[in-house]
């Protein structure tokens, strides 16, 4: 049986062994930073951009939840780190619930696997190790949403017993040639329409510039436009704006800054005035761009030229030219996603109870997930729920 690996000078809460895996739980990001960065930079590793150290660290610091972070490291019998799972603890109804960092701002909550072989460890071994780690850490239940069934051709062991979520995610693989990829992703008719719209937008507003934020000042300017455009959009829909909270704005600003930002911000601007017409932001790794957010200028004199679609076409070409292989547009259904994506990324919510009270919470949570899925995937129920939300807001 494996034994716990003690690391001097760290805030490791404890180590517990399963048949083949030893679980370590850390409460200090700095204590595990070197290991984390080594794993994520290894070409053999398997992870989504939302498990990058810089993405997770920026989110925890900006939202004031760094003290509630717990980083689980699962090691094999030889002491090699095989799986790393960043979590944040919260108290709900007297229970301690462990969730993956990022909430709804992270499209995928999969662990970081050291190799594809690590992702092939049996689901039972992984969950057993998590349960053993959870007891001394005071965790009642792991509520792990947005677990991809598959990622880059490998099965995710944490999705094995998961409950399908209300929405899936959508993506595509990029090719080695930008022009060929754009032709494959956008139909001839779509490209023709976009060329016409771009030409008419230039005639109406002047020369255009496609930009990527390369300085903190660029990121701040493009994000300010994004926040403004989104505020108008959500106000018109009569729903709360998830980007209005100052901690989320701080997170995006921090994550989009630095020499190797965890979030890339792209913008379509008027070349002369710098006015931002559309924005697109995504979490990035060496191999993938994962869309987190998009917005466009609500001015009818701009919106009629589909600036968001113009930017998306440019973004696909840009990411291909820069050597990224994966491109996805995140969770949820939308016309622009269906029009270009040829991959559906199935998502599940996985509940791992640790205590008896955690088991009761997990059953209730899975029931809620099933209800959400049924409503979301039934047009009549979804329309009724939308009407009820509007009535509730008015009252």
């Amino acid at each position: 049986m494996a034994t716990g690996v003690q690391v001097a000078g760290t805030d490791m809460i404890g180590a517990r062994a399963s048949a083949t895996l030893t679980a370590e739980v850390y409460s200090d990001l700095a204590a595990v930073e070197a290991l984390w960065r080594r794993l994520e930079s290894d070409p053999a590793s398997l992870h989504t951009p939302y498990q990058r150290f810089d993405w997770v660290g920026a989110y925890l610091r900006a939202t004031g939840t760094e003290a509630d972070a717990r980083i689980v490291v699962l090691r094999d019998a030889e002491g090699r780190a095989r799986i790393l799972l960043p979590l944040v603890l919260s108290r709900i109804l007297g229970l301690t619930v462990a969730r993956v960092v990022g909430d709804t701002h992270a499209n995928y909550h999969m662990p970081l696997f050291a190799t594809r072989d690590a992702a092939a460890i049996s689901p039972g071994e992984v969950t057993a190790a998590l349960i053993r780690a959870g007891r001394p850490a005071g965790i009642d239940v792991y509520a792990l949403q947005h677990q991809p069934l598959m990622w880059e051709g490998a099965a995710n062991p944490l999705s094995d017993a998961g409950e399908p979520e209300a929405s899936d995610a959508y993506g595509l693989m990029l090719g080695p040639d930008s022009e060929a990829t754009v032709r494959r992703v956008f139909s001839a008719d779509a490209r023709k329409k976009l060329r016409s719209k771009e030409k008419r937008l230039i005639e109406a507003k002047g020369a255009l510039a496609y930009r990527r934020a390369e300085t903190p000042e660029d990121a701040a300017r493009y994000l300010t436009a994004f926040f403004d455009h989104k505020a108008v959009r959500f106000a018109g829909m009569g729903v709360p704006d998830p980007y209005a909270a100052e901690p989320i704005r701080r997170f995006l600003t921090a994550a989009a800054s630095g020499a190797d930002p965890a979030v890339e911000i792209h913008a379509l601007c008027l070349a002369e005035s710098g006015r931002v017409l559309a924005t697109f932001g995504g979490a990035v790794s060496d191999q993938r761009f994962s869309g987190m957010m998009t917005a466009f200028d609500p001015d009818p004199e701009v919106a009629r030229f589909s600036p968001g679609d113009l930017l998306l076409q440019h973004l696909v070409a840009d990411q291909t030219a820069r050597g990224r292989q994966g491109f996805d547009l995140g969770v949820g259904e939308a016309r622009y996603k269906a029009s270009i994506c040829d991959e559906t990324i199935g998502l599940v919510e996985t509940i791992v109870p640790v205590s008896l009270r955690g088991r009761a919470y997990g059953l209730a949570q899975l029931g809620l997930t099933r209800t959400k899925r049924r409503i979301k995937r039934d047009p009549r129920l979804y329309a009724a729920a939308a009407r009820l939300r509007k009535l509730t807001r008015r009252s």
Side-chain angles (χ1 to χ4, degrees):
M1 180 177 291
T3 59
V5 178
Q6 302 297 323
V7 184
T10 68
D11 286 341
M12 187 173 73
I13 293 175
R16 293 293 184 273
S18 68
T20 59
L21 293 176
T22 296
E24 302 169 350
V25 182
Y26 296 83
S27 61
D28 179 12
L29 284 179
V32 74
E33 179 177 358
L35 169 64
W36 194 332
R37 290 191 184 279
R38 177 172 63 79
L39 290 175
E40 74 177 47
S41 64
D42 189 333
S45 67
L46 185 71
H47 60 94
T48 88
Y50 303 96
Q51 282 75 59
R52 279 186 59 186
F53 180 86
D54 289 333
W55 196 100
V56 172
Y59 186 91
L60 290 171
R61 288 189 292 271
T63 57
T65 53
E66 192 170 5
D68 299 316
R70 299 293 185 271
I71 312 303
V72 178
V73 177
L74 304 184
R75 295 182 182 269
D76 63 16
E78 297 177 2
R80 298 177 301 173
R82 310 308 290 152
I83 300 172
L84 185 148
L85 181 63
L87 302 165
V88 64
L89 305 186
S90 60
R91 293 289 291 176
I92 301 175
L93 300 175
L95 301 177
T96 298
V97 181
R99 301 183 186 278
V100 181
V101 177
D103 197 32
T104 57
H105 294 280
N107 285 307
Y108 314 112
H109 290 177
M110 191 178 78
L112 190 165
F113 298 101
T115 63
R116 288 180 176 268
D117 287 343
I121 296 174
S122 74
E125 285 296 325
V126 176
T127 55
L130 290 179
I131 290 170
R132 291 174 183 269
R135 288 170 182 152
I139 295 170
D140 289 294
V141 61
Y142 297 87
L144 308 176
Q145 295 178 306
H146 290 2
Q147 293 294 321
L149 292 170
M150 303 284 296
W151 191 256
E152 296 180 1
N156 171 15
L158 277 184
S159 73
D160 184 65
E163 183 72 24
E165 294 192 347
S167 296
D168 294 321
Y170 301 88
L172 58 101
M173 296 305 294
L174 303 175
D177 178 78
S178 296
E179 186 176 341
T181 298
V182 169
R183 287 199 305 268
R184 172 172 60 85
V185 172
F186 297 88
S187 68
D189 184 57
R191 297 197 307 275
K192 180 179 179 181
K193 289 179 179 178
L194 288 174
R195 284 195 299 269
S196 175
K197 288 184 176 183
E198 184 178 53
K199 179 180 178 181
R200 288 185 288 126
L201 177 56
I202 293 171
E203 291 171 349
K205 298 295 181 180
L208 302 176
Y210 292 93
R211 306 292 191 199
R212 182 177 78 250
E214 296 182 344
T215 67
E217 292 74 22
D218 288 343
R221 186 162 67 88
Y222 300 156
L223 282 170
T224 295
F226 168 80
F227 296 140
D228 291 345
H229 295 164
K230 271 301 189 188
V232 173
R233 172 71 170 169
F234 284 118
M237 296 170 62
V239 299
D241 181 357
Y243 301 100
E246 189 57 34
I248 298 305
R249 295 188 173 199
R250 287 198 303 268
F251 155 62
L252 291 172
T253 300
S257 302
D260 185 21
V263 172
E264 279 188 5
I265 308 296
H266 294 253
L268 171 60
C269 309
L270 294 181
E272 185 174 347
S273 67
R275 177 181 173 183
V276 177
L277 306 183
T279 48
F280 213 113
V284 293
S285 63
D286 289 343
Q287 300 297 322
R288 177 175 288 266
F289 181 100
S290 179
M292 292 171 56
M293 56 197 196
T294 186
F296 58 86
D297 193 323
D299 180 353
E301 291 303 309
V302 171
R304 65 194 182 98
F305 297 113
S306 303
D309 290 344
L310 293 174
L311 179 57
L312 179 58
Q313 180 180 240
H314 173 82
L315 182 60
V316 169
D318 171 83
Q319 295 299 307
T320 305
R322 292 169 62 202
R324 291 202 168 109
Q325 299 172 5
F327 185 93
D328 68 76
L329 294 172
V331 181
E333 296 75 18
R335 177 198 58 80
Y336 76 97
K337 297 180 183 183
S339 67
I340 73 166
C341 294
D342 56 11
E343 177 190 9
T344 299
I345 303 170
L347 299 174
V348 300
E349 179 178 16
T350 298
I351 301 295
V352 181
V354 178
S355 68
L356 288 176
R357 293 192 305 162
R359 184 176 298 276
Y361 173 89
L363 289 173
Q365 182 63 33
L366 289 177
L368 180 61
T369 299
R370 293 187 185 108
T371 300
K372 287 181 179 178
R373 184 177 73 251
R374 183 184 176 193
I375 291 173
K376 189 73 178 286
R377 300 190 179 188
D378 186 318
R380 292 174 300 178
L381 291 176
Y382 188 73
R387 289 194 296 271
L388 180 60
R389 284 195 299 269
K390 288 182 179 180
L391 290 173
T392 302
R393 285 192 296 270
R394 289 172 183 170
S395 62

